[in-house]
Amino acid sequence: MKMKIGQIAGACLLLVAAGSAMASSHREAPFITNSPKVDGTDFYMFNSYEAGKTGNVTLIANYVPLQEPGGGPNYYSLDPNALYEIHVDNNGDGKEDLTFQFRFKNTLTNGGAGITLPIGPAGSQKNVAIPLRQSGAVTNSPNAPLSYTESFTLDVVRGDRRSGARSAVTNASGGGATFGKPIDYIGTKTFPNNSYEGYANSYIQSINIPGCATPGKVFVGQRKEAFSINAATIFDLINAPAAFITNEANAAAVGKIGDLENKNVTSLALEMPASCLTQGTEKVIGGWTTSSLRQGRLLNGATPSGLQANEKSGGAWTQVSRLSMPLVNEVIIGLKDKDKFNGSKPKDDAANFADYVTNPTLPALIETLFPSAKAPTNFPRTDLVTVFLTGLPTVNRPANITGPGMGGPLAEMLRLNTGIAATPAASQKALGVTAGDNAGFPNGRRLGDDVVDVSLRVAMGALCVLTGNADALKVGCKPSDAPAGAVPFVDGTRASATDFQQVFPYLNTPLPGAK
């Protein structure tokens, strides 16, 4: 079987997706369901394709899953007692070399009273705090009628996330180290005349990153959910006819976003020159996001007035959420190890989770549900190990890694080759590298990449089919090992890059709570 170089690269890149199975990470582990404010839902990392941004990289970490737009009166502020982080490994050792740390603060206005109204007869009125976040139309103004404001600080740590050199990221225009966060899209009366997007855009801020010669950008705020998945069907034992899920013509039959179409998320977005993230001549970076809580929490039995005043937290930061490749924890890691994965680091993956890659259960589950879709028979799945945990030769594998466990650790993370030029939005292929678009998933991840369909196909052995009997890809399998390897599995949802904004922060305006 003869293969073109492009096919080989595409086949290899497909395999990274195998670990991601079908989707992103919403309520994926038992413990994190108790703490939605620190639940990481998606991680995107791609070479920026906004006009004039060649040579930049965008990183987006989404948190707080399944937000109902009308979820008032408190809506979805982030946790001031948590630490949100985006990590970058730029030398292939499975450890963070750069960490961007976000800490949030919610401040009651009016001297700690919030918005108050004078209530009672003239001469004996009392100023009483209102129960809502706002008392009128909102703009980005110091005098906006808000009961409390949201802000954050951003630090960059070089080296170990806890013991490395920490420096404050500052506003490029004013020099301050505190950044504002917009309130969520409460509704069109609070933000009349379609004013929310302009309001939110005013919080896109130019930043000076210590050690980086060129300013970057930061934005934190509510956005419309971007992930495409027919989630209810998939988690109900793939509740669809085999004829539907094996037909490419049904790729978008359910819609563009699917079950998450009417949800919002909260995004932590960064953009900066690739040179600020890479090290030396190495162009490949690995990225992931985590959130951490303090090890101890004391609840106050006599809660005072204030915001989140009923708890005191202290002790070491303890990681409770981890996310890079989409849905690794949700459908790859076994139930008993989901909380363990959320508290783990990539450098320890070989010791902790290798069996879930070498002997994955997802293909066997699919075969059980659809007996004609036979799972691959090559064990251990060295094909998955090679690409999922190390990156791909000549594509997104760091130069120091020469094979599985050789030159560097087996470590799960989203890898991006910053030397591969971005594809303009109008030319992007939703199936990424598998469709000839080398700037797409799994070489990083863009908003319009259909990671569900790519992942389903790879899990069922697409790589074994493409490698041929001579194993041209050196992945340890052949077409006869994957009887269903050529089947075009779909879940019925697919968006494209042009369905989203084509400028930073790329995600669309959130849905309003009321219209």
Side-chain angles (χ1 to χ4, degrees):
M1 177 180 177
K2 293 183 178 180
M3 302 181 64
K4 296 180 180 180
I5 293 176
Q7 286 180 299
I8 293 175
C12 285
L13 279 171
L14 266 171
L15 199 52
V16 175
S20 67
M22 289 174 282
S24 59
S25 189
H26 299 68
R27 292 172 51 83
E28 80 289 350
F31 178 82
I32 203 65
T33 61
N34 298 320
S35 303
K37 287 191 175 186
V38 290
D39 186 356
T41 69
D42 285 281
F43 182 63
Y44 301 91
M45 183 170 67
F46 52 88
N47 292 317
S48 301
Y49 49 89
E50 177 182 348
K53 290 297 182 179
T54 300
N56 283 261
V57 171
T58 297
L59 306 98
I60 303 171
N62 286 347
Y63 280 85
V64 194
L66 307 175
Q67 294 180 20
E68 292 290 343
N74 292 297
Y75 299 94
Y76 303 98
S77 60
L78 291 169
D79 190 348
N81 292 331
L83 175 64
Y84 301 82
E85 297 175 290
I86 295 175
H87 310 280
V88 174
D89 170 17
N90 59 22
N91 61 9
D93 66 355
K95 303 176 183 178
E96 66 271 12
D97 298 294
L98 293 169
T99 295
F100 297 92
Q101 298 182 332
F102 297 78
R103 292 292 312 276
F104 292 89
K105 184 178 182 180
N106 302 326
T107 305
L108 283 164
T109 57
N110 192 26
I115 298 294
T116 61
L117 294 177
I119 304 298
S124 60
Q125 292 178 327
K126 294 184 177 181
N127 290 320
V128 181
I130 68 170
L132 304 178
R133 290 286 307 273
Q134 83 291 10
S135 63
V138 172
T139 62
N140 184 6
S141 164
N143 299 317
L146 294 172
S147 290
Y148 70 86
T149 59
E150 302 171 61
S151 62
F152 65 95
T153 58
L154 175 59
D155 291 341
V156 59
V157 180
R158 298 184 182 275
D160 183 87
R161 67 181 80 172
R162 298 294 174 260
S163 61
R166 178 178 286 100
S167 303
V169 174
T170 57
N171 192 307
S173 59
T178 300
F179 303 92
K181 175 186 175 294
I183 193 173
D184 295 340
Y185 195 175
I186 295 172
T188 56
K189 189 170 185 178
T190 300
F191 294 95
N193 303 315
N194 298 314
S195 62
Y196 186 83
E197 187 61 12
Y199 161 78
N201 284 344
S202 70
Y203 287 88
I204 299 174
Q205 296 161 96
S206 181
I207 54 176
N208 286 328
I209 303 169
C212 185
T214 303
K217 288 183 180 180
V218 67
F219 171 81
V220 175
Q222 191 180 52
R223 297 282 88 189
K224 186 179 184 298
E225 176 64 79
F227 186 72
S228 298
I229 181 175
N230 191 3
T233 293
I234 287 176
F235 294 128
D236 186 23
L237 303 178
I238 313 181
N239 190 359
F244 179 90
I245 68 167
T246 58
N247 188 345
E248 174 66 19
N250 295 322
V254 176
K256 294 180 178 180
I257 303 298
D259 293 334
L260 303 182
E261 177 66 42
N262 297 315
K263 307 297 184 183
N264 293 326
V265 292
T266 299
S267 298
L268 285 63
L270 291 167
E271 183 181 60
M272 67 195 72
S275 59
C276 297
L277 297 169
T278 57
Q279 181 179 141
T281 60
E282 179 60 73
K283 297 296 184 182
V284 175
I285 59 174
W288 67 102
T289 183
T290 64
S291 63
S292 299
L293 296 172
R294 292 295 188 184
Q295 204 165 39
R297 182 178 70 166
L298 180 67
L299 298 181
N300 191 340
T303 304
S305 299
L307 295 175
Q308 208 165 322
N310 56 338
E311 69 172 297
K312 294 289 185 181
S313 60
W317 288 117
T318 303
Q319 183 179 302
V320 295
S321 179
R322 170 188 166 188
L323 177 63
S324 50
M325 293 290 288
L327 214 68
V328 169
N329 202 4
E330 203 151 8
V331 297
I332 294 297
I333 303 299
L335 182 62
K336 70 182 181 67
D337 285 329
K338 290 180 180 296
D339 289 335
K340 180 178 180 179
F341 181 86
N342 267 350
S344 67
K345 295 181 179 180
K347 68 180 181 64
D348 300 319
D349 286 344
N352 291 331
F353 311 111
D355 286 351
Y356 294 117
V357 180
T358 60
N359 297 69
T361 59
L362 178 62
L365 288 171
I366 292 176
E367 180 180 344
T368 299
L369 299 170
F370 303 96
S372 63
K374 299 299 181 183
T377 57
N378 55 305
F379 296 105
R381 291 290 297 271
T382 53
D383 51 342
L384 300 183
V385 172
T386 299
V387 186
F388 175 44
L389 299 178
T390 67
L392 304 161
T394 74
V395 183
N396 65 347
R397 175 183 289 176
N400 63 296
I401 298 177
T402 57
M406 295 186 292
L410 301 176
E412 186 276 319
M413 60 183 70
L414 186 64
R415 292 179 172 88
L416 172 69
N417 188 334
T418 63
I420 294 178
T423 302
S427 301
Q428 290 181 21
K429 303 288 196 303
L431 296 179
V433 176
T434 67
D437 182 0
N438 288 351
F441 184 78
N443 182 30
R445 181 188 175 192
R446 305 166 303 194
L447 299 180
D449 288 336
D450 191 346
V451 298
V452 174
D453 291 359
V454 172
S455 302
L456 279 170
R457 299 175 193 194
V458 174
M460 294 305 292
L463 186 62
C464 295
V465 171
L466 289 173
T467 196
N469 288 320
D471 192 13
L473 303 178
K474 306 301 181 185
V475 294
C477 62
K478 54 187 181 299
S480 61
D481 292 327
V487 175
F489 289 96
V490 301
D491 80 323
T493 63
R494 183 175 295 175
S496 67
T498 54
D499 292 317
F500 305 100
Q501 295 185 12
Q502 297 171 34
V503 298
F504 182 85
Y506 293 94
L507 296 106
N508 289 335
T509 306
L511 299 170
K515 297 180 180 179

